[in-house]
Amino acid sequence: MMSGTELARDIVGRAAQRAGEYEKRAGRKPCLATVIVGDDPASVTYVRMKRNRCHKAGIDSRLVELPAETTTEELVAAITALSEDEAVHGILLQHPVPGHIDERAAFEAIAPHKDVDGVTMHSFAAMSFGEPGFASCTPGGIMRLLDAYDVDPSGKHAVVIGRSPILGKPVAMLLLARNATVTICHSRTENLPEIVRTADIVVAAVGKPEFVRGDWIKPGATVIDAGYNPGNVGDVAYDEAAGRAGLITPVPGGVGPTTIAVLLEQTVDAAHRRLDA
Ligand code: NAP
């Protein structure tokens, strides 16, 4: 089993140390601003969790709560203000936002040097071209898990199920950058189980509970379950898949904790880079 909890502890420990170093140099803590629109219970819980983790790691967190009826223009204005605020080092827009909002326009209002969640087109392009920038946090955390467990993607067939802009697509680019042969599957993919059966590395990012079945898994494969469905259930049928996989991430305690850890690490990085700029 690949423990995201343990890896996250290491990453957050180092981030906390570097947050302390930043505070000594700058006389204030690194600061992450979180924007939440509406009161979706799952989003409220995630935001509270992230703010607690920030606090424990010596990172200030600022919360901007906007009503569900906020317009795209109002949200863009709020995020632009944070982009221009020197006291803020990282900006996180909790998604999903209500359906009437142009989410892409809102993301693009985040200044690239504050995009610690790695959601802007600039960050995606930088990551895809191997240029400096911030990785999308969940994909970044997945790569850290592979590294922590000595899974070298080079030359391996990696099958990513899902192509969302925050998960499937960026993790596919990061795997490609590490010389994996990458197949990206989605809702129109034909013969999905057959394709997954040829994978040395499977990344499930579908958003459907226990969607990937045990008999889809090639014996010895590495299985990364990025899914997080109600009731703490992943996108992989864990008990079935664990019998065949060489390594597998649990839900909870796998990809989730590493995602938050990378967010904190990138916030501290953003603060240091600002000071060094
Ligand atoms: P999303 O935006 O809903 O994307 C889901 C993807 O799965 C889409 O690309 C979709 O294909 C594909 N898909 C849907 N049905 C499929 C099917 N029958 N066969 C093959 N592909 C199918 O979801 P997301 O935001 O990427 O999130 C995916 C999962 O990861 C969710 O469970 C979410 O909760 C979890 N997540 C976890 C973290 C974390 O920190 N642990 C962070 C983010 C997300 P189309 O593009 O063709 O529609």
Side-chain angles (χ1 to χ4, degrees):
M1 193 185 76
M2 301 166 95
S3 171
T5 310
E6 258 175 46
L7 172 61
R9 205 175 294 134
D10 288 351
I11 297 173
V12 174
R14 271 195 307 279
Q17 192 186 335
R18 294 192 61 240
E21 288 163 13
Y22 174 84
E23 193 177 353
K24 274 199 198 112
R25 288 176 70 197
R28 59 189 162 113
K29 292 178 174 164
C31 174
L32 174 69
T34 301
V35 181
I36 181 167
V37 186
D39 53 5
D40 169 61
S43 294
V44 169
T45 306
Y46 288 142
V47 166
R48 192 183 321 119
M49 206 156 69
K50 287 169 190 168
R51 279 166 56 83
N52 281 342
R53 299 285 154 78
C54 278
H55 181 67
K56 283 190 188 148
I59 298 170
D60 270 341
S61 70
R62 192 191 292 184
L63 182 59
V64 178
E65 289 172 291
L66 298 171
E69 55 278 7
T70 300
T71 64
T72 298
E73 291 69 27
E74 288 165 341
L75 179 56
V76 166
I79 294 173
T80 303
L82 294 171
S83 287
E84 290 167 356
D85 185 338
E86 280 303 316
V88 170
H89 302 105
I91 301 170
L92 169 78
L93 170 61
Q94 182 63 40
H95 45 95
V97 292
H100 66 274
I101 290 178
D102 179 349
E103 187 177 74
R104 182 46 46 201
F107 280 150
E108 294 310 317
I110 300 173
H113 64 280
K114 299 189 182 186
D115 182 20
V116 293
D117 201 22
V119 294
T120 60
M121 291 196 275
H122 178 279
S123 296
F124 185 84
M127 188 193 61
S128 302
F129 287 112
E131 295 292 330
F134 293 114
S136 204
C137 288
T138 306
I142 289 172
M143 299 311 290
R144 299 288 280 275
L145 271 165
L146 293 177
D147 286 340
Y149 285 85
D150 292 326
V151 180
D152 180 2
S154 181
K156 299 289 190 303
H157 185 205
V159 172
V160 178
I161 316 171
R163 56 173 167 179
S164 73
I166 56 141
L167 221 175
K169 271 185 195 145
V171 81
M173 298 314 291
L174 290 174
L175 287 162
L176 181 63
R178 297 284 299 276
N179 299 316
T181 303
V182 183
T183 302
I184 307 174
C185 302
H186 46 78
S187 64
R188 314 280 175 89
T189 298
E190 292 177 3
N191 304 322
L192 182 64
E194 281 73 27
I195 296 170
V196 176
R197 282 188 189 106
T198 66
D200 304 302
I201 299 170
V202 181
V203 179
V206 196
K208 294 200 158 120
E210 301 193 332
F211 177 77
V212 176
R213 307 310 308 186
D215 66 355
W216 299 12
I217 305 301
K218 180 161 110 175
T222 299
V223 179
I224 305 287
D225 187 352
Y228 194 66
N229 304 292
N232 278 346
V233 178
D235 286 350
V236 177
Y238 183 88
D239 290 340
E240 291 176 18
R244 289 167 69 102
L247 284 167
I248 184 166
T249 59
V251 177
V255 172
T258 60
T259 298
I260 299 184
V262 170
L263 174 73
L264 302 190
E265 179 181 61
Q266 296 196 143
T267 301
V268 177
D269 275 351
H272 274 282
R273 283 183 207 177
R274 216 49 205 154
L275 214 53
D276 296 335

